[in-house]
Amino acid sequence: MKLIFLGPPGAGKGTQADKVCGYHGIAHISTGEMLRGEIREGTELGMEAKDYIEKGELVPDEVIIGMVEHRIHAQDCAKGFLLDGFPRTVAQADAFQHISDIDMVINIDVPAARLIDRIGGRRMCSGCGVGYHTSTYAGNTCERCGAKLFIRDDDKPETVKNRILVYERLTQPLIAYYEKMGKLQTVNGDETPAEVTADILALTEKLV
Ligand code: AMP
């Protein structure tokens, strides 16, 4: 099963991807998390990506495309994968057409006015990178690995505003792109996390 999640920053893509990947036994590929991993490890790619991420800009297409092309051939993608945060531009989507087919693109739709609030409550584990939200978890440490939770630099309000603008300008056109291809499904992301998961699974179960 090969899936893509579309949606603005704060739509809940990461949270939903964890659930859906666990259910179907497919790999969760978060390009944002891969880049943050590269930054933590101090790699050349990480150093290149850091400035873009901190400003809320996109990392250049060629860097991301190469990274994803390599990642989808890993062993854990044998049963399929879910791309969370890729593609983010039409150029990335065009390139991916030559790399792999795709079964379904799920757009998690959340009204723009809700995004800033939702991102304000986000916390991330400094050890394993798993995400939390203050509305559902009040702790300061990760339930999985015990490491401290922190607020991502690019979740600070100044950067979030730019990330939303970048999303509207460069990523939102992908909704029409995949609709034209007959691959697009939309779920209402402004429900409880469990309701959104149920809506997504109702769509993906048809692919099994
Ligand atoms: P995310 O965790 O998906 O919100 O991504 C965090 C940041 O990583 C984004 O704001 C971008 O700077 C960068 N990034 C992640 N995925 C991509 C992508 N597909 N193309 C370009 N930049 C990306």
Side-chain angles (χ1 to χ4, degrees), residues 15 27-28 33 47 53 56-57 67 91 93 97-98 101 120 130 134 146-147 151-152 155 163 169-170 194 196 199 208:
T15 306
H28 177 187
E33 193 40 44
M47 291 307 100
I53 295 180
E57 299 291 335
M67 196 175 81
Q97 291 281 96
H98 300 286
D101 56 331
V130 69
T134 50
I151 300 176
R152 273 167 52 177
D155 275 353
R163 286 169 66 203
R169 192 160 48 90
L170 297 174
V196 179
D199 290 349
V208 178

Side-chain angles (χ1 to χ4, degrees), residues 157-168:
E158 330 64 88
T159 314
V160 166
K161 282 186 197 141
N162 192 40
R163 286 169 66 203
I164 293 171
L165 287 177
V166 167
Y167 165 79
E168 287 173 348

Side-chain angles (χ1 to χ4, degrees), residues 3-4 42 54 96 99 101 125 131 135-136 177 190:
L3 305 173
I4 290 174
E54 280 173 1
F96 195 67
I99 296 173
D101 56 331
C125 172
S135 61
T136 50
Y177 180 102
D190 201 14

Side-chain angles (χ1 to χ4, degrees), residues 29 67-74 77-78 81 83 96 99-100:
I29 303 179
M67 196 175 81
V68 170
E69 180 164 22
H70 183 254
R71 178 67 184 85
I72 63 167
H73 293 108
C77 295
F81 54 77
L83 292 167
F96 195 67
I99 296 173
S100 173

Side-chain angles (χ1 to χ4, degrees), residues 1-6 81-83 101-107 178 182-187 199-207:
M1 182 183 296
K2 297 171 185 169
L3 305 173
I4 290 174
F5 272 2
L6 283 182
F81 54 77
L82 189 164
L83 292 167
D101 56 331
I102 201 81
D103 297 308
M104 187 182 282
V105 178
I106 298 172
N107 175 35
Y178 286 115
K183 299 281 182 191
L184 189 83
Q185 298 285 345
T186 296
V187 296
D199 290 349
I200 295 172
L201 293 181
L203 293 169
T204 55
E205 251 156 16
K206 294 180 201 152
L207 298 171

Side-chain angles (χ1 to χ4, degrees), residues 15-173:
T15 306
Q16 294 302 328
D18 272 344
K19 301 269 187 259
V20 173
C21 290
Y23 184 85
H24 287 298
I26 58 176
H28 177 187
I29 303 179
S30 158
T31 43
E33 193 40 44
M34 288 172 78
L35 293 169
R36 286 186 287 277
E38 299 280 342
I39 294 173
R40 282 195 293 274
E41 284 164 27
T43 67
E44 204 175 306
L45 197 157
M47 291 307 100
E48 189 185 346
K50 195 170 188 288
D51 269 2
Y52 294 101
I53 295 180
E54 280 173 1
K55 291 189 192 123
E57 299 291 335
L58 294 186
V59 174
D61 288 332
E62 57 279 11
V63 174
I64 296 286
I65 292 162
M67 196 175 81
V68 170
E69 180 164 22
H70 183 254
R71 178 67 184 85
I72 63 167
H73 293 108
Q75 183 62 42
D76 66 332
C77 295
K79 282 183 73 182
F81 54 77
L82 189 164
L83 292 167
D84 156 16
F86 176 93
R88 258 180 158 96
T89 63
V90 169
Q92 291 179 16
D94 282 343
F96 195 67
Q97 291 281 96
H98 300 286
I99 296 173
S100 173
D101 56 331
I102 201 81
D103 297 308
M104 187 182 282
V105 178
I106 298 172
N107 175 35
I108 305 181
D109 186 35
V110 176
R114 300 272 296 113
L115 298 173
I116 304 250
D117 271 2
R118 287 172 67 141
I119 293 176
R122 292 212 300 205
R123 301 291 180 269
M124 179 162 277
C125 172
S126 55
C128 65
V130 69
Y132 290 90
H133 199 277
T134 50
S135 61
T136 50
Y137 182 65
N140 294 319
T141 51
C142 179
E143 283 183 312
R144 285 192 199 168
C145 75
K148 267 200 171 157
L149 304 188
F150 72 106
I151 300 176
R152 273 167 52 177
D153 274 345
D154 63 340
D155 275 353
K156 307 220 161 112
E158 330 64 88
T159 314
V160 166
K161 282 186 197 141
N162 192 40
R163 286 169 66 203
I164 293 171
L165 287 177
V166 167
Y167 165 79
E168 287 173 348
R169 192 160 48 90
L170 297 174
T171 310
Q172 203 158 258

